[in-house]
Every structure is written in C-alpha cells, then in structure tokens.
Amino acid sequence: MSKPRLLPTGFCWCGCGKEIGLGKFFAQGHDKVAEAAYMAVHHEASVARLLSDTGFAPGNRETIREAALDRGGWELCPKGCGYAGAPASINNHINRHHKEK
C-alpha cells in the first residue's frame, strides 16, 4: 500500500508560518524543530519512550536497527565491521574508517 505523495505548500511545515522556496517543506533547520515538537507531544521528548511506544524496546519483537536493515533502506558496512546506516552514511563511514593505506 503506497502513501500519497506529499506536496510542499510554500510555507514551513514546522508551524512557524515562514514562507519558503518552491519544493521545500521546511525552512533551514526547521525539520528538527518539527521533529522535537512531535517527540514532545507524542513521546515525552524521549527517544527511549518512542522506541517503547512503537514496540522497539529491548526484549520486543525486533530492534529498531533490525527493522531499519530489513525495511528501512539501511545497509551493513561491506567491510564486515558491523556498522549499519543509510547508503550515504555507509559511504562516509567507509571513507572515514576503512581508507586503504
């Protein structure tokens, strides 16, 4: 089931009312403002509470890391070190920690 495509409105989605450029959802840095506000409203401003509320606390069905690897587009470092992240993060990690000498 696919979700409908989100369309920018010309105003920042954090709720500040700032008019922004075409094709953007947030003024610079305001995505983090919106994220913090959401966390405050829904999860006591706590990532631990978020994970517990959504079934990803230790001892539950799976960890958030496992879910990200399974269906979130994350990958494991191909060098076998165990690092996991989004493809761009993997590239940065390899360049920083596995440079050939």
Side-chain angles (χ1 to χ4, degrees):
M1 174 160 119
S2 66
K3 295 180 182 181
R5 181 175 171 223
L6 298 177
L7 298 173
T9 62
F11 293 91
C12 184
W13 279 35
C14 86
C16 71
K18 183 174 183 172
E19 193 169 345
I20 53 174
L22 294 175
K24 295 183 177 185
F25 292 97
F26 298 99
Q28 187 171 353
H30 289 212
D31 55 331
K32 293 298 181 185
V33 171
E35 182 179 39
Y38 179 90
M39 291 294 292
V41 169
H42 294 285
H43 305 291
E44 302 170 3
S46 166
V47 174
R49 175 63 61 198
L50 164 74
L51 294 175
S52 178
D53 289 349
T54 55
F56 292 108
N60 286 357
R61 63 181 186 256
E62 66 181 337
T63 67
I64 193 64
R65 183 178 192 266
E66 290 167 337
L69 285 164
D70 181 49
R71 58 190 180 279
W74 276 28
E75 301 170 359
L76 285 170
C77 175
K79 302 290 186 175
C81 70
Y83 179 84
S89 293
I90 294 290
N91 288 336
N92 289 337
H93 165 78
I94 290 170
N95 289 334
R96 186 172 294 131
H97 299 286
H98 299 292
K99 281 189 174 179
E100 300 293 325
K101 295 184 179 182

